[in-house]
């Protein structure tokens, strides 16, 4: 089973990151319906297994790209494309996951793929209307295109996460310092 990273502070940011290195390798993480079902299960938005048809996968990817467009516009200070806005608004209008308390006292989240997409669309819209909107950033790693919410003190966080992007940057900086120390000019 494919494992996904959930390093962003919001579900919508984790979902748009299912395409890595946008504009270069465009590493698609949701190649099959089973991949999308695994992402949903790992995200915790709904419990239980989902079956995803090829048409549903295509629709989910279209919604994901619209979500990415809205988030990009928010970070970059531009106006979102009308088609993207329309697609996200349509997804947000659908019923989201339902919560139920089980006899064992645990909360169960139920819903189909449309409910998951509704929850992600609502998270995107809520992000536009929250203090997090001003803290949205792009990862500073040149290969990474992941947006993240910078909640650090001083708002100086540079990477989407220390595992991966931050580690690579620190290792590169260390190697550069060692080369400079070993071969002074």
């Amino acid at each position: 089973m494919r494992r996904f990273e959930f390093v962003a502070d919001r579900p919508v940011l984790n979902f748009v990151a299912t395409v890595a290195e946008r504009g270069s390798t465009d590493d698609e993480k949701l190649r099959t319906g089973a991949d999308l079902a695994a992402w949903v299960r790992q995200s915790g938005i709904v419990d239980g297994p989902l079956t995803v048809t090829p048409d549903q996968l295509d629709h989910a990817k279209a919604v994901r790209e619209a979500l990415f467009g809205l988030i990009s516009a928010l970070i970059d200070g531009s106006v979102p494309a009308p088609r993207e806005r329309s697609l996200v608004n349509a997804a947000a209008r659908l019923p989201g996951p339902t919560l139920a308390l089980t006899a064992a006292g645990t909360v169960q989240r139920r819903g189909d793929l449309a409910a998951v997409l509704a929850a992600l669309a609502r998270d995107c819209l809520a992000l536009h209307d929250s203090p997090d909107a001003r803290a949205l950033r792009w990862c500073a790693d040149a290969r990474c295109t992941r947006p993240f919410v910078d909640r650090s003190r001083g708002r100086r966080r540079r990477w989407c996460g220390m595992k991966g992007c931050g580690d690579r940057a620190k290792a590169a900086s260390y190697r550069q310092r060692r080369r400079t120390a070993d071969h002074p000019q």
Side-chain angles (χ1 to χ4, degrees), residues 25-121:
T25 65
D26 291 318
D27 183 13
E28 174 63 68
K29 307 292 185 189
L30 303 179
R31 294 186 185 109
T32 67
D35 290 339
L36 178 54
W39 185 91
V40 169
R41 186 173 43 260
Q42 292 170 36
S43 75
I45 294 173
V46 295
D47 301 323
L50 283 182
T51 301
V52 179
T53 68
D55 286 343
Q56 288 174 316
L57 176 62
D58 289 343
H59 176 67
K61 287 179 178 181
V63 171
R64 177 193 62 198
E65 294 311 301
L67 292 165
F68 183 78
L70 265 62
I71 290 166
S72 296
L74 186 59
I75 294 172
D76 299 338
S78 61
V79 176
R83 182 187 179 289
E84 294 169 342
R85 193 177 64 244
S86 177
L87 192 55
V88 171
N89 285 338
R93 280 192 293 273
L94 297 174
T98 59
L99 303 178
L101 189 62
T102 67
T106 61
V107 174
Q108 189 171 52
R109 292 158 183 81
R110 296 184 180 127
D112 59 6
L113 183 58
V116 171
L117 295 175
L120 292 167

Side-chain angles (χ1 to χ4, degrees), residues 138-144 148 156-179:
W138 292 114
C139 182
D141 185 324
R143 293 181 303 176
C144 184
F148 68 92
R156 288 185 288 228
R157 184 173 148 195
R158 298 185 57 216
W159 305 288
C160 60
M162 282 310 298
K163 181 182 174 187
C165 295
D167 286 341
R168 276 192 303 275
K170 285 189 170 199
S173 176
Y174 173 77
R175 286 190 301 272
Q176 181 60 39
R177 285 193 311 273
R178 292 295 309 158
R179 276 192 295 273

